[in-house]
Amino acid sequence: MYIKWYELATKAMGYEVIGKPAIKEFKDIIITGMGGSGIVGDVIYSLLYTRSRTPITVVKDFRMPGWVSKDSLVCVISYSGNTLETLSAALDAMNAGAEVCVVASGGKLLEFAISKGLTYVKVDQGLAPRAAFPLLLIATLKALEFYGINVHGNLGRSLNVLKYTSEVDSVAKELAFFIFNSLPVILSSCRLYPIAMRFKNELNENSKIMAKVEVIPEWGHNDIVGWELPLDVIRAVVVYDGDPLMEFVARFLRDLKVPTYVFNLEGDDLLSKILYGVYVAGLASIYLAELRKVDPVVTRSIDRYKEFLNSRISINA
Ligand code: F6R
């Protein structure tokens, strides 16, 4: 599935946004979704962080924050369209009178969007949500553009980093071998946090291992001390795009004899770097699954969690 990402992304560039945009200035933007859908919110948050004059928040919860109002734009993302947290958050936003737009491949969320006349983008079905990342991201960027929010000027060009090449493949393999039999800690700057978080999630879901994320500069104010006596099982992956602060982090860890891999990002703008990082992380997690002889596709524990939620909560739109 990952090898086809460039092809999938190119197709997604043709997605249509259905709806009537509200002609107004929003006081805030909220992006909500869980797991492989929710990471799209983290990416957009990062891309808009220094540029947006409108506050933007990512919500991964059943509830909307108390300040959501009729002046909020709430973008609801769920690949399956059946995630309870996301459905509940969408209802909360509707009840607060917010402008709600939906990105889904089907499910209750899409039915809800169509029946309530909400703006929506329908993405292709049949993938694992995490493998649909480029589709969900492109669909959400299109939905935001529909409301006059231009997140990234040259999306088409940035997608080039999703082409499957022998270089991409060898970095992914190297990462998989490096992480094998360890508890990896992925360290990144704030702006590249979506790569670190997505890497962790991919290692959890595809490779069936635990992983930890640390974000710089906050890391330098607490976690840094924890490395003074590191456990043998720990290995560090430093997400690197030329930032001198991250060079310090790698040097610091190597001085303490912590096995450290510097994950060099390709790409000449933030979106390209994030796409590249997410792409290589995904492939690495598949190679690690092979090394560990586990099936990357099935996620039984997530199914069990969702069954529990479904047995306790019902959402009636
Ligand atoms: C599965 C995956 C999960 C789901 C999450 C929410 O591939 O990545 O993290 O994304 O359970 O489900 P959806 O995306 O269908 O709302």
Side-chain angles (χ1 to χ4, degrees):
M1 291 186 215
Y2 292 106
I3 286 169
K4 288 200 191 125
W5 266 16
Y6 180 72
E7 223 173 292
L8 285 174
T10 310
K11 185 172 176 220
M13 290 295 281
Y15 282 161
E16 212 187 320
V17 183
I18 313 287
K20 286 198 286 311
I23 315 282
K24 67 191 235 183
E25 288 269 310
F26 295 105
K27 283 206 182 119
D28 58 274
I29 303 163
I30 295 174
I31 306 183
T32 185
M34 305 302 295
S37 297
I39 197 75
V40 169
D42 297 314
V43 173
I44 293 172
Y45 177 86
S46 209
L47 294 172
L48 285 178
Y49 187 76
T50 54
R51 289 186 27 228
S52 177
R53 297 284 158 259
T54 312
I56 165 159
T57 312
V58 179
V59 171
K60 299 183 183 188
D61 194 355
F62 293 92
R63 298 292 314 269
M64 280 287 122
W67 41 261
V68 70
S69 74
K70 58 179 182 20
D71 296 317
S72 307
L73 171 64
V74 180
C75 222
V76 184
I77 312 168
S78 168
Y79 184 71
S80 63
N82 288 323
T83 300
L84 278 185
E85 293 92 329
T86 313
L87 288 167
S88 158
L91 274 185
D92 227 13
M94 290 284 289
N95 291 338
E99 172 73 19
V100 174
C101 66
V102 160
V103 172
S105 72
K108 285 189 186 154
L109 187 60
L110 196 66
E111 276 171 29
F112 176 69
I114 294 169
S115 71
K116 303 274 181 212
L118 305 179
T119 297
Y120 69 89
V121 185
K122 183 183 180 316
V123 302
D124 287 80
Q125 280 178 323
L127 297 164
R130 56 194 180 280
F133 170 78
L135 310 187
L136 296 169
L137 177 65
I138 293 169
T140 309
L141 292 175
K142 282 185 168 258
L144 289 172
E145 206 178 296
F146 189 75
Y147 288 101
I149 302 153
N150 191 354
V151 180
H152 188 76
N154 202 339
L155 180 58
R157 208 175 64 125
S158 300
L159 296 180
N160 282 326
V161 294
L162 297 181
K163 285 182 181 155
Y164 179 66
T165 62
S166 56
E167 286 83 25
V168 161
D169 193 70
S170 60
V171 179
K173 277 191 184 129
E174 232 174 70
L175 272 163
F177 280 113
F178 177 78
I179 293 171
F180 188 43
N181 280 337
S182 78
L183 199 164
V185 181
I186 305 150
L187 301 107
S188 78
S189 61
C190 286
R191 226 58 70 233
L192 300 175
Y193 161 80
I195 300 176
M197 187 41 108
R198 169 70 177 199
F199 204 162
K200 179 198 84 69
N201 295 347
E202 292 283 77
L203 291 169
N204 299 151
E205 294 180 51
N206 293 331
S207 327
K208 278 81 182 160
I209 64 163
M210 285 197 270
K212 180 176 182 279
V213 170
E214 279 299 324
V215 179
I216 284 72
E218 178 62 12
W219 169 85
H221 299 269
N222 34 63
D223 195 73
I224 187 170
V225 185
W227 294 81
E228 290 175 7
L229 287 172
L231 301 174
D232 286 345
V233 71
I234 299 287
R235 279 183 210 159
V237 176
V238 176
V239 179
Y240 180 65
D241 71 340
D243 181 346
L245 194 46
M246 299 312 289
E247 279 166 28
F248 165 77
V249 175
R251 214 176 324 120
F252 174 86
L253 298 176
R254 283 179 173 154
D255 286 350
L256 291 170
K257 309 272 179 285
V258 177
T260 302
Y261 184 100
V262 175
F263 179 17
N264 266 306
L265 300 178
E266 297 282 325
D268 45 20
D269 56 38
L270 184 57
L271 179 59
S272 311
K273 288 175 192 171
I274 293 177
L275 288 174
Y276 176 85
V278 165
Y279 189 39
V280 174
L283 286 168
S285 70
I286 302 290
Y287 282 126
L288 184 57
E290 270 176 21
L291 289 172
R292 287 173 47 74
K293 301 187 178 28
V294 293
D295 180 350
V297 181
V298 289
T299 47
R300 281 189 206 94
S301 305
I302 297 180
D303 298 343
R304 191 172 159 200
Y305 166 73
K306 288 188 176 179
E307 273 159 31
F308 169 77
L309 281 188
N310 280 306
S311 71
R312 294 296 171 102
I313 303 166
S314 74
I315 304 276
N316 295 309

